[in-house]
């Protein structure tokens, strides 16, 4: 352990807030050879970090903010890892009072991007840099290499970037960290990342439910299916851990672990923020929105219990060919996943236009390949899509992804129909398909809304047309 009293060495980076995320990221910096200043409002956590992990690198512990700031080399770089909201504002104020012009305050928490915009403006007026930074990967990522999404000025990134890149995950030798853009861009992108994660998890859950309830498969059998899927286009961290979870057996009851876990999912707010921001921007993120609503419904336990005996109507027979149905579900999952990412990138593009950010969408796909929860093989394909056309109107319009969805269309439609006929909820599968059909439709019901809103004939300016990309519809059934 190094303390201020026995060593004049200064730290390259400091971490404020030493709960699990903060202590792990401090250790990560130390593991990469950086001298790290550490401070926590409760000194006991600082002492615990040094006692348990002080031998892992060079730490400079402090018990006051003033001592902490004095232990940093200039320009001072202080990373805040405390709960978003008032606690973050309080630490920012303490640091700003103790710092000097040119120093850098970094917020690594899950702050709402509009708060980051406000904070950056106020801190810039005091001659300091403020860098709102999205950090994805949870506790393990914080320690072993997260995906990092910093905002702020280019000047601040020139000073801070090499440090953040050194502790980030690396894929093919490329750090999963890049300068996103100014003020709140980093936290905005992290917010949408989390929204995509909500949709990704929900479609995996819907695939599981269909295999369980429609195909009559056991959790262990479904785990094998997910392992097989993880060898192909669906190769991802979430599919991998789903297979592992479904393989687990509860030691006490001997039942599959998934059957003894309460089916109520909470949320920390970032998915909800993503949906709210999309509404404000006028961007349809139906997959993410339905994933948020699905979590809300799952948590309405009393309401669900009261509704248990609601009639289902006439239900169809389960699919006869299990193997064929499993493959159709795989394709529906893949297509819905593509739509979720396409909608997420649409929201990022809309946010960039609204707030004047210059965001490289291809670079986001690159830094999400490692460290973060949504890391997946097909992020390489997303990078390639934006390399081909940086101004791509929608990811699903890229030649590669359009072909992938085309290959899945018939199965996707069949699975949505099957879910409806069996009374199995599949909100993201179905809403993503509806979005896709709305996107490719030549005309939408909005013409009726406009016509009904006026009692007079439309003027020439009310009459509009649009060029519709030639997007395949797949096999359709003509009503009789």
């Amino acid at each position: 352990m190094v303390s201020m009293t026995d060593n004049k060495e200064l730290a390259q980076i400091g971490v404020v807030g030493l709960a699990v995320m903060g202590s792990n990221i401090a250790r990560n910096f130390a593991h990469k050879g950086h001298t790290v200043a550490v401070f926590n409002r409760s000194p006991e956590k600082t002492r615990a970090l040094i006692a348990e992990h002080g031998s892992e690198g060079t730490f400079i512990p402090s018990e006051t903010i003033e001592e902490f700031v004095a232990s940093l080399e200039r320009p001072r770089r202080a990373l805040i890892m405390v709960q978003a909201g008032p606690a973050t504002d309080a630490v920012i104020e303490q640091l700003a009072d103790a710092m000097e012009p040119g120093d850098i305050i970094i917020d690594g928490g899950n702050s709402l991007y509009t708060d980051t915009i406000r904070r950056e403006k106020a801190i810039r007026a005091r001659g300091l840099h403020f860098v709102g930074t999205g950090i994805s990967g949870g506790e393990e990522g914080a320690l072993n290499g997260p995906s990092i999404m910093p905002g702020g000025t280019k000047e601040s990134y020139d000073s801070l970037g090499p440090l953040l890149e050194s502790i980030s995950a690396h894929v093919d030798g490329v750090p999963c960290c890049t300068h996103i853009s100014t003020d709140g861009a980093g936290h905005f992108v992290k917010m949408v990342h989390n929204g995509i994660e909500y949709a990704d998890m929900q479609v995996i859950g819907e695939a599981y439910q269909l295999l369980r309830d429609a195909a009559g498969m056991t959790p262990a059998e479904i785990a094998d299916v997910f392992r097989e899927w993880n060898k192909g286009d669906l190769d991802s961290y979430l599919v991998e851990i789903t297979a592992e979870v479904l393989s687990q057996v509860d030691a006490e009851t001997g039942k599959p672990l998934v059957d003894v876990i309460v089916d109520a999912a909470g949320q920390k707010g970032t998915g909800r923020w993503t949906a709210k921001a999309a509404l404000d921007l006028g961007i349809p993120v139906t997959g993410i929105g339905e994933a948020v609503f699905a979590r809300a419904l799952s948590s309405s336990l009393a309401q669900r219990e009261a509704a248990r005996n609601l009639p289902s109507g006439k239900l169809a027979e389960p699919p006869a060919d299990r193997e064929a149905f499993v493959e159709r579900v795989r394709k529906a999952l893949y297509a819905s996943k593509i739509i979720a990412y396409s909608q997420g990138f649409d929201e990022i593009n809309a946010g960039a236009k609204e707030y004047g950010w210059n965001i490289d969408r291809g670079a986001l796909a690159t830094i999400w390949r490692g460290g973060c929860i949504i890391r997946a093989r097909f992020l390489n394909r997303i990078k390639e899509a934006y390399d081909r056309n940086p101004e791509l109107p929608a990811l699903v319009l890229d030649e590669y992804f359009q072909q992938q969805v085309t290959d899945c269309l018939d199965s996707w439609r069949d699975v949505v129909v099957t879910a409806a006929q069996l009374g199995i909820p599949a909100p993201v599968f179905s809403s993503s398909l509806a979005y896709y059909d709305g996107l490719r439709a030549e005309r939408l019901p909005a013409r009726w809304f406009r016509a009904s809103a006026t009692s007079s004939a439309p003027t020439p300016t009310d009459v509009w047309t649009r060029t519709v990309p030639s997007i395949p519809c797949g096999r359709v059934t003509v009503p009789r």
Side-chain angles (χ1 to χ4, degrees):
M1 181 181 78
V2 178
S3 71
M4 287 294 293
T5 58
D6 57 22
N7 198 309
K8 297 296 184 182
E9 182 177 6
L10 296 178
Q12 288 84 54
I13 186 80
V15 179
V16 179
L18 301 177
V20 177
M21 282 291 291
S23 61
N24 277 4
I25 211 160
R27 292 168 61 198
N28 191 346
F29 278 118
H31 294 170
K32 299 303 185 296
H34 306 298
T35 299
V36 188
V38 289
F39 171 79
N40 194 81
R41 184 169 59 90
S42 303
E44 293 77 16
K45 286 192 175 180
T46 308
R47 296 172 193 144
L49 171 65
I50 299 304
E52 295 173 24
H53 305 290
S55 62
E56 296 177 9
T58 306
F59 298 93
I60 304 178
S62 300
E63 295 197 359
T64 68
I65 279 285
E66 292 74 19
E67 184 182 356
F68 170 79
V69 169
S71 71
L72 296 167
E73 68 178 25
R74 298 199 61 188
R76 302 178 180 92
R77 310 171 191 91
L79 172 61
I80 302 171
M81 298 295 294
V82 301
Q83 186 175 8
T88 296
D89 280 315
V91 175
I92 290 169
E93 191 63 26
Q94 288 178 306
L95 286 170
D97 286 344
M99 284 179 155
E100 298 177 293
D103 290 345
I104 305 169
I105 299 173
I106 311 110
D107 175 14
N110 268 338
S111 291
L112 182 59
Y113 73 97
T114 49
D115 287 342
T116 303
I117 293 172
R118 166 181 59 79
R119 290 163 178 158
E120 193 278 335
K121 182 178 180 181
I123 292 301
R124 177 163 30 94
R126 299 176 67 168
L128 303 170
H129 294 281
F130 186 78
V131 180
T133 301
I135 300 176
S136 179
E139 298 170 9
E140 180 183 349
L143 181 61
N144 298 316
S147 176
I148 307 179
M149 296 152 262
T153 64
K154 184 181 182 303
E155 181 184 355
S156 62
Y157 191 78
D158 288 343
S159 172
L160 179 64
L163 286 161
L164 296 181
E165 290 175 13
S166 73
I167 67 162
S168 73
H170 285 64
V171 176
D172 299 330
V174 178
C176 294
C177 174
T178 191
H179 182 222
I180 303 301
S181 192
T182 54
D183 55 61
H187 277 140
F188 184 89
V189 164
K190 174 58 164 53
M191 175 192 73
V192 176
H193 161 284
N194 285 19
I196 293 172
E197 179 187 325
Y198 273 49
D200 209 342
M201 294 178 73
Q202 177 65 24
V203 291
I204 289 172
E206 291 176 18
Y208 160 79
Q209 201 70 40
L210 283 160
L211 297 181
R212 187 78 187 271
D213 292 347
M217 300 175 72
T218 67
E221 290 173 326
I222 300 171
D224 289 338
V225 168
F226 274 89
R227 286 194 189 93
E228 189 62 31
W229 287 354
N230 201 46
K231 298 175 183 177
D233 293 326
L234 287 170
D235 176 10
S236 66
Y237 172 70
L238 286 172
V239 170
E240 176 187 349
I241 64 171
T242 299
E244 292 305 310
V245 168
L246 294 177
S247 300
Q248 301 301 311
V249 174
D250 179 54
E252 185 175 334
T253 64
K255 295 180 180 179
L257 180 62
V258 70
D259 286 349
V260 299
I261 295 174
V262 176
D263 60 334
Q267 52 182 299
K268 294 183 178 179
T270 46
R272 185 168 64 248
W273 291 348
T274 306
K276 285 182 176 179
L279 288 170
D280 290 339
L281 293 166
I283 299 298
V285 291
T286 56
I288 295 170
E290 286 292 353
V292 173
F293 295 143
R295 290 195 182 201
L297 180 60
S298 77
S299 296
S300 301
L301 295 176
Q303 193 177 42
R304 289 171 56 204
E305 180 64 30
R308 194 64 50 83
N309 294 321
L310 283 175
S312 66
K314 183 180 178 181
L315 300 179
E317 292 296 319
D321 189 334
R322 176 193 280 190
E323 186 174 337
F325 182 68
V326 168
E327 175 60 10
R328 291 199 296 273
V329 172
R330 182 192 70 81
K331 289 184 174 182
L333 169 56
Y334 187 38
S336 299
K337 182 184 179 83
I338 290 171
I339 294 299
Y341 279 75
S342 185
Q343 292 179 346
F345 276 92
D346 285 351
E347 182 168 356
I348 289 170
N349 193 45
K353 290 178 180 178
E354 176 72 16
Y355 295 102
W357 297 324
N358 181 22
I359 298 178
D360 182 343
R361 287 175 286 174
L364 299 185
T366 299
I367 68 170
W368 289 348
R369 294 182 304 164
C372 67
I373 305 301
I374 64 172
R375 58 185 183 268
R377 176 195 294 186
F378 89 147
L379 284 162
N380 285 315
R381 294 292 192 175
I382 295 178
K383 172 67 165 63
E384 292 167 4
Y386 286 114
D387 282 346
R388 284 189 289 272
N389 181 6
E391 303 303 320
L392 190 64
L395 182 63
V396 75
L397 295 175
D398 172 74
E399 181 180 352
Y400 172 81
F401 284 106
Q402 187 174 149
Q403 184 58 54
Q404 295 297 295
V405 172
T406 300
D407 291 345
C408 296
L409 266 174
D410 292 344
S411 293
W412 194 9
R413 293 192 188 283
D414 285 345
V415 167
V416 169
V417 169
T418 300
Q421 290 178 331
L422 293 175
I424 300 171
V428 178
F429 276 13
S430 55
S431 68
S432 297
L433 179 58
Y435 165 84
Y436 176 86
D437 282 336
L439 189 64
R440 68 173 191 82
E442 184 175 356
R443 298 282 279 170
L444 291 170
R447 56 183 169 175
W448 182 86
F449 304 152
R450 297 191 67 184
S452 65
T454 177
S455 59
S456 59
T459 65
T461 56
D462 290 324
V463 180
W464 57 274
T465 60
R466 67 185 178 99
T467 302
V468 181
S470 180
I471 304 178
C473 67
R475 185 187 71 249
V476 296
T477 302
V478 178
R480 294 184 181 274

